[in-house]
């Protein structure tokens, strides 16, 4: 069974709009990772969250982990075409990462 | 930051041949590395956990005799796809686990695109 659920599966937003991607775990997380990937390329590390209630920001991207450490959100403010790609959340339960199915983001002019 | 390399970045081979993919942690030692596989428009799926000096641990449904893993040193793990077939064509990504004090982080390689004709 899929332990990590990511939503939405795909997203099309107009440039300048804000958006949110969610990642929900059926178990308490040891750590939650967010990556960005262009198709056929490697993963670009965005952020890692470990503490309940933690929030991190980098440029226009903010990631949060809830107090129970079972849900995370990735928020992009004023989206740009450069934000387009596949966003993956990866959950650590103490060993390898289990990945969500990804969210494909397209930013239109 | 920590760097993980993969070689080759892409490979095309004939059906029935074997292909070796290398994963190296360039500036840190990794007792544990992981191998993932990604099919088009799908997420990464863990294939196996590679442990330095011991046998790899394979996920359910992954044939250990087909996907040979050797973690010969603290900076190198290899994945050999034996008798490759077209259905093995995929994007293979490794990650290396870095433990530094209380920090436990995984760093991913750039991936290897395998095409089996």
């Amino acid at each position: 069974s899929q332990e990590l659920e990511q939503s939405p599966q795909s997203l099309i937003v107009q440039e300048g709009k804000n958006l949110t991607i969610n990642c929900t775990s059926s178990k308490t997380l040891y750590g939650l990772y967010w990556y960005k990937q262009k198709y056929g390329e490697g993963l670009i590390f965005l952020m890692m969250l470990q503490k309940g209630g933690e929030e991190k920001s980098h440029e226009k991207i903010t990631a949060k982990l809830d107090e129970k450490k079972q849900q995370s959100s990735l928020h992009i403010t004023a989206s740009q075409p450069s934000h387009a790609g596949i966003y993956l959340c990866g959950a650590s339960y103490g060993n390898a990462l289990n990945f969500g199915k990804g969210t494909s983001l397209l930013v239109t002019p | 930051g920590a760097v993980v390399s993969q070689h080759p970045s892409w490979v095309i081979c004939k059906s029935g041949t074997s292909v070796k993919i290398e994963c190296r942690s360039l500036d840190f030692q990794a007792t544990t590395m992981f191998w993932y596989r990604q099919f088009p428009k799908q997420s990464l799926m863990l294939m196996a956990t590679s442990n330095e000096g011991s046998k790899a641990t394979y996920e359910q449904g992954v044939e250990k005799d087909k996907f040979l893993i050797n973690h010969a040193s603290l900076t190198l793990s290899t994945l050999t796809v034996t008798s490759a077939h077209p259905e093995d064509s995929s994007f293979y990504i490794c990650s290396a686990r870095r433990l530094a004090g209380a920090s436990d982080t995984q760093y991913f390689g750039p991936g290897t695109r395998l095409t089996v004709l």
Side-chain angles (χ1 to χ4, degrees):
Chain A
S1 62
Q2 183 71 28
E3 294 176 332
L4 205 61
E5 294 291 335
Q6 198 173 330
S7 64
Q9 186 175 356
S10 63
L11 202 52
I12 302 174
V13 299
Q14 192 174 21
E15 184 176 356
K17 299 293 185 182
N18 303 335
L19 64 106
T20 300
I21 300 169
N22 295 300
C23 184
T24 303
S25 172
S26 58
K27 301 190 295 185
T28 299
L29 299 163
Y30 177 79
L32 191 287
Y33 296 71
W34 283 101
Y35 292 91
K36 179 184 175 184
Q37 184 185 32
K38 297 272 186 188
Y39 176 68
E41 299 181 11
L43 302 178
I44 300 170
F45 173 75
L46 296 176
M47 274 169 274
M48 180 185 74
L49 305 167
Q50 280 189 302
K51 300 177 182 177
E54 188 174 9
E55 178 176 326
K56 289 185 178 179
S57 293
H58 177 67
E59 296 180 345
K60 296 184 177 180
I61 300 176
T62 300
K64 301 178 184 179
L65 182 62
D66 73 336
E67 290 289 344
K68 292 184 178 180
K69 295 175 65 175
Q70 284 189 270
Q71 189 167 21
S72 178
S73 61
L74 184 81
H75 186 77
I76 299 177
T77 304
S79 59
Q80 300 171 357
S82 60
H83 288 127
I86 301 169
Y87 289 82
L88 293 161
C89 65
S92 169
Y93 301 107
N95 198 22
L97 295 186
N98 293 328
F99 285 91
K101 292 186 177 181
T103 296
S104 177
L105 172 64
L106 178 64
V107 180
T108 61
Chain B
V3 178
V4 175
S5 70
Q6 273 185 248
H7 178 79
S9 56
W10 60 271
V11 57
I12 301 173
C13 69
K14 293 182 179 180
S15 184
T17 60
S18 294
V19 175
K20 180 186 285 188
I21 303 170
E22 294 184 348
C23 178
R24 293 182 185 273
S25 55
L26 298 183
D27 52 358
F28 68 98
Q29 294 181 333
T31 56
T32 305
M33 292 185 176
F34 304 97
W35 288 96
Y36 297 82
R37 180 168 53 182
Q38 185 180 35
F39 291 108
K41 298 185 178 181
Q42 294 187 24
S43 189
L44 279 74
M45 295 299 295
L46 178 67
M47 297 175 66
T49 302
S50 172
N51 302 298
E52 189 270 335
S54 64
K55 292 183 179 180
T57 304
Y58 291 82
E59 295 300 299
Q60 191 173 7
V62 178
E63 299 174 58
K64 62 180 181 180
D65 294 329
K66 180 170 183 62
F67 299 98
L68 301 179
I69 292 174
N70 185 4
H71 199 143
S73 74
L74 288 172
T75 58
L76 173 64
S77 175
T78 60
L79 169 70
T80 301
V81 183
T82 62
S83 187
H85 289 93
E87 58 265 29
D88 298 322
S89 298
S90 187
F91 192 55
Y92 293 86
I93 303 178
C94 73
S95 72
R97 188 179 189 182
R98 183 182 190 183
L99 298 173
S103 173
D104 181 355
T105 308
Q106 288 192 34
Y107 296 91
F108 284 82
T112 296
R113 165 108 12 231
L114 170 63
T115 301
V116 184
L117 302 176

